[in-house]
Amino acid sequence: MEFTAKDWKDFFKEIVSLIEEEKDYLCQLDRKLGDGDHGVTMSIGWQAINEKIDNELANEEDPAKISITVGKTFLSAVGSSVGPLYATGFMRGAKVLKNKSVAGDQDLAEYWIAFGKGIKERGQAEVGDKTMMDTLEPFFKELERKFAETNDFLSSFKAAVLEAKKGMEFTKELMSKKGRSSRLGDRSIGAQDPGATSAYLILAAFLSFVEKRMAKAI
Amino acid sequence: MKKLINDPRNVVEEMLEGYVKAHPNSIKQLPGTGRALITARETREGKVGILIGGGSGHEPGFIGYVGDGMADGVAVGNIFASPSPDPILEVTKAIDKGAGVVYLYGNYAGDVMNFGMAAEMADLEEGIQVGMALASDDVASAPKSEKQKRRGIAGEFFIYKAAGAAADFGYDLDNVVRVAKKANENTRSMGVGLSPCSLPQTGEPSFEIGEDEMEIGLGHHGEPGIEKGPLQSADRVADRLVNDILADIEINKGDKVAVLVNGLGSTPKMELYIVFRRVEQILSERGIEIYRSYVGDYITSLEMGGCSVTLMKLDDELMKTIDHPVDCPMFVQK
């Protein structure tokens, strides 16, 4: 599989529309746990990215530069706690893409592993804390394991997204231990974590983007 | 909920535009992000810079506290969201007078990450020394055994007051940080929520509460509190808030305190003074002396209903800081 600068931009554009579609749903999840603005925050960030892609990045051919800009733009636009978290993910991923105009299977696997690990390092959350880490950690662990075994990106990523989904759904059973919602204690049980959900949406969007691209290629 | 706004996406920018235009002799906006405001007055070379910040929607917090005797600059986030490192760094560079800058903010995951990233950048890229002190005054937000998890609420005002005065006294960076941390150590708050606020962008209430209910310990962003129950009288609520504070910090007979009864946005001053009346009764029954009182909307949550009570236990040094005059657009103390 070969992934170019144009693919990255197209993929990021897909997240822009996806976040607009899911904005209300994410806010609705967040109202049970926090101040109800996760969808709004994500939308502010991705709208800013959309504008960058259309203007500054319109002729950009360097995938690393694109991913760094996506991270920095998101951070500048939203601040909050998701700002530094997602920004760190996209910027760590960008390091993998440095000096590569086309990403192959190995690069893509490394990109998403670095994405997940970067967010973990920034947020210092553990699995079970009811945060986006509940989606991301099972995801990058499975991706790392499966890719080492098979060297096939698509099947490994697919398996990893499945783990991500389970992790996201499991946040319903968990009590919040990080961030503002942690003070809800028992009352947080039963609600799915909005950060875990938006992280899953991004990963699932990448999977469907890659699958669509493969189908076109055939 | 009805709101007098134009476009919900522009509320922060339009508020800042109005604010800067209303107080041109006090405040100026830096050219970069638009989210960085500093004092328009000349600050002394060698004075430690005081930088405050946080999400919007808490006005007068935090933009209202830039001025003589308080902060030199403020980084402004989206509604209820930490500012990104960009405006924090922009303010840092503008207010550094060679003695470093102290960041004062509430203990929230987002603020900790963004201010932390900005402090690293200030040090690495600009060579500016940054000190930090976090507000964690909310007794309801975590048990005493997990004090490091507590949030900052209205007590932040006392921390700004103490640190701003210390910087004015000519203290160095380490000593300004020390005073700010001592102010936080000596400050406790506890709040009650009666009605929700709504974010301009979603229009939805930030939490659900019955017509005849109140929520003890409710967060400044509508985070659920520790106990929801039937609405009680002002006296009973004040009893609960003050007793929980006094159970958390040792304040003895003969000690002096500063008191803040803070409105959350839509609670009339009449009610705040009724609450203060009872707070004063409890404290004087215990022989605790009120050295200075503040009653009003100091750190709000848009149009949320309810209030919080904050006590800061004073020693000689904190007394001196609390007496220090202040001249900010939204707060003046002579």
Side-chain angles (χ1 to χ4, degrees), chain A residues 23 27 31-37 40-41 44 72 75-85 87-88 91 122-123 177-184 187, chain B residues 78-86 108-110 113-114 117 120 138 140-141 149 151 199 201-202 204-206 215 217-219 221-227:
Chain A
K23 186 163 111 182
C27 283
R31 263 196 295 281
K32 291 183 190 142
L33 293 169
D35 51 13
D37 69 349
V40 172
T41 306
I44 290 171
K72 282 194 167 171
L75 178 60
S76 298
V78 312
S80 184
S81 52
V82 288
L85 291 170
T88 303
M91 284 154 77
R122 177 68 62 199
K177 286 190 186 149
K178 275 264 171 185
R180 283 179 197 159
S181 54
S182 59
R183 42 190 301 282
L184 281 174
R187 286 163 66 181
Chain B
N78 291 328
I79 293 188
F80 295 169
S82 166
S84 77
D86 299 355
Y108 294 90
M113 283 189 268
N114 287 284
M117 286 174 91
E120 273 175 45
D138 186 4
S141 55
K149 285 190 181 169
R151 302 175 285 119
L199 299 184
Q201 275 146 320
T202 61
E204 300 284 336
S206 55
E215 188 152 348
L218 189 96
H221 310 93
E223 305 97 323
I226 47 176
E227 206 181 290

Side-chain angles (χ1 to χ4, degrees), chain A residues 86-100:
Chain A
Y86 280 126
T88 303
F90 289 118
M91 284 154 77
R92 291 292 164 83
K95 272 194 183 170
V96 173
L97 304 178
K98 220 172 164 185
N99 301 322
K100 286 172 188 154

Side-chain angles (χ1 to χ4, degrees), chain B residues 192-195 231-235 237-238 241 261-279 295-297 304-309:
Chain B
V192 61
L194 304 186
S195 59
L231 180 63
Q232 291 176 326
S233 68
D235 284 0
V237 170
L241 301 181
V261 173
N262 176 56
L264 292 178
S266 66
T267 297
K269 289 225 168 43
M270 173 191 274
E271 294 172 27
L272 300 180
Y273 277 104
I274 292 171
V275 170
F276 181 84
R277 166 188 165 274
R278 181 64 192 154
V279 173
V295 180
D297 291 355
M304 199 189 283
C307 73
S308 61
V309 174

Side-chain angles (χ1 to χ4, degrees), chain A residues 33-213:
Chain A
L33 293 169
D35 51 13
D37 69 349
H38 187 60
V40 172
T41 306
M42 291 297 284
S43 162
I44 290 171
W46 285 99
Q47 286 302 320
I49 290 166
N50 194 31
E51 206 189 300
K52 284 272 176 188
I53 295 174
D54 288 346
N55 298 295
E56 251 180 77
L57 295 178
N59 299 311
E60 184 57 63
E61 294 292 327
D62 178 3
K65 178 78 194 300
I66 293 166
S67 192
I68 287 177
T69 309
V70 164
K72 282 194 167 171
T73 306
F74 190 81
L75 178 60
S76 298
V78 312
S80 184
S81 52
V82 288
L85 291 170
Y86 280 126
T88 303
F90 289 118
M91 284 154 77
R92 291 292 164 83
K95 272 194 183 170
V96 173
L97 304 178
K98 220 172 164 185
N99 301 322
K100 286 172 188 154
S101 55
V102 176
D105 276 28
Q106 177 83 32
D107 304 318
L108 289 175
E110 281 178 20
Y111 179 94
W112 286 106
I113 293 165
F115 176 88
K117 286 187 173 172
I119 294 178
K120 182 171 166 73
E121 193 189 308
R122 177 68 62 199
Q124 299 287 316
E126 303 292 334
V127 162
D129 286 352
K130 198 175 177 108
T131 69
M132 60 172 72
M133 245 23 254
D134 287 302
T135 298
L136 291 170
E137 189 159 331
F139 159 79
F140 74 69
K141 281 192 167 158
E142 177 66 6
L143 181 56
E144 207 166 20
R145 191 191 67 77
K146 195 85 194 271
F147 189 75
E149 194 185 290
T150 63
N151 264 324
D152 179 62
F153 175 71
L154 186 58
S155 63
S156 307
F157 196 82
K158 205 169 179 172
V161 170
L162 204 66
E163 292 303 308
K165 187 168 193 233
K166 282 189 221 158
M168 167 188 78
E169 284 167 351
F170 192 63
T171 61
K172 280 184 220 164
E173 323 288 321
L174 295 167
M175 196 160 91
S176 297
K177 286 190 186 149
K178 275 264 171 185
R180 283 179 197 159
S181 54
S182 59
R183 42 190 301 282
L184 281 174
D186 290 347
R187 286 163 66 181
S188 63
I189 295 173
Q192 183 169 304
D193 183 65
T197 309
S198 67
Y200 171 74
L201 289 174
I202 290 172
L203 302 176
F206 193 76
L207 178 62
S208 81
F209 184 84
V210 172
E211 282 177 331
K212 258 190 280 171
R213 247 214 50 184

Side-chain angles (χ1 to χ4, degrees), chain B residues 33-44:
Chain B
T33 57
R35 299 296 190 91
L37 309 186
I38 65 166
T39 175
R41 293 170 195 155
E42 209 47 56
T43 40
R44 192 166 43 80

Side-chain angles (χ1 to χ4, degrees), chain B residues 17 39 95 228 257:
Chain B
E17 198 182 330
T39 175
I95 66 172
K228 209 181 210 177
V257 292

